[in-house]
Amino acid sequence: MTARAADRARYDRATAPLDAPLAIVDLEAFDANADDLVRRAGGKPVRVASKSVRCRHLLERVLAKDGFAGIMSFTLAESLWLARSGFEDILLAYPSADRARFAELAADPKLAAAVTVMIDDPAHLDLIDAARSGGSEVIRVCLELDTSLKLLGGRVRVGARRSPLYSPGQLADLARIVARRPGFELVGIMAYEGHIAGVGDRVAGRPLRSRAVRLMQATARRELAERRAAVVRAVRAVAPDLEFVNGGGTGSVQTTAAEDAVTEIAAGSGLYVPRLFDNYTSFTGRPAALFAMPVVRRPGVGVVTVLGGGYPASGAAGPDRLPVPYLPQGLSYDPQEGPGEVQTPLLGSAADDLLIGDKVWFRHAKAGELCERFAELHLVEGDRVTATVPTYRGEGHTFL
């Protein structure tokens, strides 16, 4: 029996009393992935990206491990909820325009001490001040550096369009504005190199593309390491008590951690290891989060139909954003239909061994987005479900 076949047998036994659709997290795989992130971080703390987990119980589990410290959140509402739930050291990774939540933050000493917000424009400070509603707490802020690689005088850009702050001088200028502004404290710098951390460099069946990605990433790493160090020097000249410099992502943990200027690493997808993280030469994770859909039809030889399954991930639309049938091996989508809103036909010889009511196990393309489809996660240890815990959605929250 192959390892994947053994996993399928375990998951089927563990969830035998449960009807699909359902989602699981294999805790042995989850813990092994967490340990690997810590190993690759080389002694620097790993800040957990909550958008890739979206389950308070699992955030608590990973933060209890040595090597992890703090949360990187994705909305201000989520940040305040987590702080009120007892989490500390929460870095909001994206600027917000949530005036009502800024008023809450500015009025509550506990929240203001726990949450750091992201800015890349003086207009963000103006918005926060306008939203204070009398709240006078000092707001902790972090500056975001644009990490994109610019070539040919800027005519070619590789990387996400995020912050407008690219040069050391631009970040130092904004740091001076923050320093002069009452009610704010500059505590950190963040730089997420998505074109390195979030792009696989081993694309199956495409050796030339894989080689081009590795070349681009090697160039980008060298350029960013030099520029990030210069940025940190420039900002520390304005704010010498800077608490952290955050960088990285699951796909670049070890290379980002090797930079002296970086004090902590961000990672989250590497805990669940969705399908988009299969194509890396730098690490190999274990799929930990899966969802199961029930077989509801057998239309003919080599075909079964499962309920639902059309859960595309965010990003540029394409086949890589679709869930992938994972267990049993050998199933694929009908190219005329793909994964459907209510039903999904699956093709392959493995279909002939499936009966009505059997489970087909899928992997989502991105990590935490799976939790927007399910209210709870069944935690599997060995061949047993040892706990069932709510996702954010199961607790009544869909933050974005």
Side-chain angles (χ1 to χ4, degrees):
M1 182 182 292
T2 66
R4 278 176 62 172
D7 283 342
R8 181 194 175 201
R10 287 196 300 113
Y11 300 152
D12 282 347
R13 286 195 300 271
T15 62
L18 305 173
D19 289 330
L22 58 83
I24 66 166
V25 170
D26 183 332
L27 289 181
E28 181 180 331
F30 180 90
D31 289 342
N33 292 335
D35 292 342
D36 188 59
L37 288 172
V38 171
R39 177 190 63 79
R40 290 197 287 136
K44 292 186 178 178
V46 178
R47 185 182 291 272
V48 184
S50 63
K51 77 177 182 68
S52 300
V53 180
R54 302 193 203 200
C55 171
R56 281 201 299 168
H57 176 89
L58 291 174
L59 287 173
E60 290 169 351
R61 183 183 184 92
V62 73
L63 285 169
K65 293 177 173 292
D66 291 340
F68 288 88
I71 289 176
M72 176 177 281
S73 58
F74 62 100
T75 75
L76 184 54
E78 179 214 15
S79 304
L80 302 191
W81 177 66
L82 290 173
R84 288 183 172 122
S85 301
F87 292 94
E88 300 175 348
D89 189 11
I90 301 162
L91 170 62
L92 175 57
Y94 308 88
S96 176
D98 189 338
R99 293 175 174 84
R101 275 17 181 272
F102 275 129
E104 294 177 34
L105 181 65
D108 189 316
K110 177 184 175 182
L111 297 180
V115 176
T116 300
V117 302
M118 192 65 58
I119 70 166
D120 59 33
D121 191 307
H124 292 135
L125 303 177
D126 296 338
L127 186 147
I128 295 170
D129 271 341
R132 284 180 182 271
S133 297
S136 59
E137 294 299 321
V138 172
I139 305 300
R140 294 165 52 88
V141 300
C142 177
L143 308 183
E144 180 170 2
L145 167 67
D146 173 15
T147 65
S148 63
L149 175 64
K150 295 182 180 181
L151 303 170
L152 301 178
R155 293 190 296 276
V156 175
R157 174 195 179 100
V158 181
R161 297 182 181 275
R162 293 176 61 116
S163 171
L165 305 175
Y166 189 83
S167 69
Q170 288 174 313
L171 277 95
D173 287 345
L174 186 52
R176 280 187 282 270
I177 291 173
V178 175
R180 292 194 297 263
R181 189 93 170 228
F184 295 94
E185 180 184 8
L186 176 58
V187 298
I189 299 171
M190 188 192 84
Y192 171 59
E193 53 267 37
H195 52 302
I196 304 171
V199 177
D201 63 349
R202 184 180 56 197
V203 184
R206 303 187 68 180
L208 294 180
R209 176 177 173 79
S210 299
R211 192 176 306 161
V213 169
R214 287 195 288 273
L215 178 62
M216 175 276 292
Q217 291 180 338
T219 302
R221 279 195 296 269
R222 288 192 296 269
E223 185 279 332
L224 179 58
E226 182 177 335
R227 181 159 51 91
R228 180 154 41 198
V231 163
V232 172
R233 288 193 298 270
V235 173
R236 285 196 185 277
V238 179
D241 296 329
L242 206 64
E243 295 176 14
F244 64 86
V245 177
N246 180 281
T250 289
S252 69
V253 170
Q254 59 269 48
T255 55
T256 305
E259 295 182 34
D260 291 338
V262 174
T263 67
E264 63 175 39
I265 308 299
S269 295
L271 296 168
Y272 288 168
V273 186
R275 63 167 296 196
L276 281 176
F277 285 83
D278 286 345
N279 303 320
Y280 287 79
T281 57
S282 60
F283 79 101
T284 301
R286 293 175 55 181
L290 301 95
F291 68 93
M293 310 305 287
V295 174
V296 292
R297 287 178 172 165
R298 291 171 49 88
V301 175
V303 186
V304 293
T305 302
V306 299
L307 184 71
Y311 302 158
S314 60
D320 66 336
R321 301 290 147 166
L322 300 179
V324 62
Y326 183 61
L327 302 170
Q329 290 181 259
L331 295 174
S332 61
Y333 293 123
D334 183 333
Q336 301 300 314
E337 297 193 47
E341 177 188 12
V342 178
Q343 67 171 35
T344 297
L346 297 170
L347 312 180
S349 60
D352 295 329
D353 296 324
L354 292 169
L355 305 176
I356 301 294
D358 284 352
K359 295 179 177 78
V360 174
W361 296 90
F362 293 77
R363 293 173 66 201
H364 203 272
K366 296 184 76 173
E369 293 183 15
L370 168 66
C371 294
E372 298 298 338
R373 300 289 185 168
F374 293 90
E376 57 190 19
L377 299 171
H378 301 286
L379 307 184
V380 173
E381 297 184 72
D383 60 358
R384 295 185 305 119
V385 171
T386 56
T388 298
V389 296
T391 61
Y392 281 10
R393 175 179 170 176
E395 295 200 69
H397 296 288
T398 51
F399 289 111
L400 197 60

